[in-house]
Amino acid sequence: LLPAGKDRQTKRHNQFGASSEELIGRRRETGSQYSIGVQRLPFGAQNISIDDFVKAMPARLQNQHDVTRGGVRGVSGTYSGGGGVPAGVEFELFVHNSKIVFAAYMPYSVIKDRTGGTRKPRENERELDKPGEFFESLKFP
């Protein structure tokens, strides 16, 4: 459930010997950003559990808790920062079919200084963005 419109882009990355693809959408009203990404796990780590993956991440998730989407158990939380991602970004992470699947909500109030945003964040940003609906829309085949 990425925002509709032309403010979408696809990014391809190759990190740690594994390729990934990310779809990014921006909500025009607020400037907030949503992402859905998939990264193939490197050979030898294809059977890692979500718990072990989260423990091995260089950054930590605050307010971490279990979440289930489409029958797949994952972990939800707020990123503590580092690795090119600002603190305050909300994530859901899953291991599914030898891949890491993630969904992220980046409020404009969190990313505006990184992106060079000049407008003031909307006071009702979260209400307009509805990140819960975005995360709940995630389905697995």
Side-chain angles (χ1 to χ4, degrees):
L1 187 67
L2 287 172
K6 296 179 183 176
D7 278 353
R8 290 183 179 214
Q9 63 180 339
T10 302
K11 287 187 177 180
R12 288 190 162 89
H13 309 278
N14 193 348
Q15 294 178 308
F16 313 115
S19 62
S20 67
E21 191 163 334
E22 180 180 10
L23 177 62
I24 301 166
R26 232 173 234 97
R27 183 171 301 281
R28 289 179 193 235
E29 300 91 348
T30 62
S32 297
Q33 182 175 300
Y34 305 78
S35 298
I36 296 175
V38 177
Q39 180 171 354
R40 184 168 298 284
L41 287 163
F43 186 75
Q46 294 178 342
N47 294 321
I48 193 170
S49 71
I50 187 63
D51 297 317
D52 289 340
F53 178 80
V54 170
K55 285 178 192 170
M57 288 181 7
R60 296 288 165 232
L61 294 176
Q62 299 170 343
N63 306 318
Q64 183 177 319
H65 60 278
D66 287 349
V67 65
T68 301
R69 304 282 184 222
V72 178
R73 183 184 159 270
V75 173
S76 178
T78 304
Y79 202 64
S80 63
V85 179
V89 174
E90 297 174 35
F91 272 96
E92 288 192 0
L93 301 163
F94 304 86
V95 174
H96 182 66
N97 291 338
S98 301
K99 296 176 184 116
I100 291 295
V101 178
F102 71 86
Y105 162 64
M106 295 169 252
Y108 177 73
S109 58
V110 168
I111 62 172
K112 76 177 203 69
D113 292 333
R114 284 191 82 209
T115 61
T118 56
R119 68 179 176 187
K120 184 177 178 181
R122 304 275 299 261
E123 287 184 27
N124 59 345
E125 175 180 67
R126 190 170 187 82
E127 181 182 325
L128 291 169
D129 288 342
K130 299 179 181 159
E133 288 181 13
F134 165 69
F135 288 119
E136 290 167 9
S137 72
L138 190 59
K139 306 277 188 267
F140 290 90

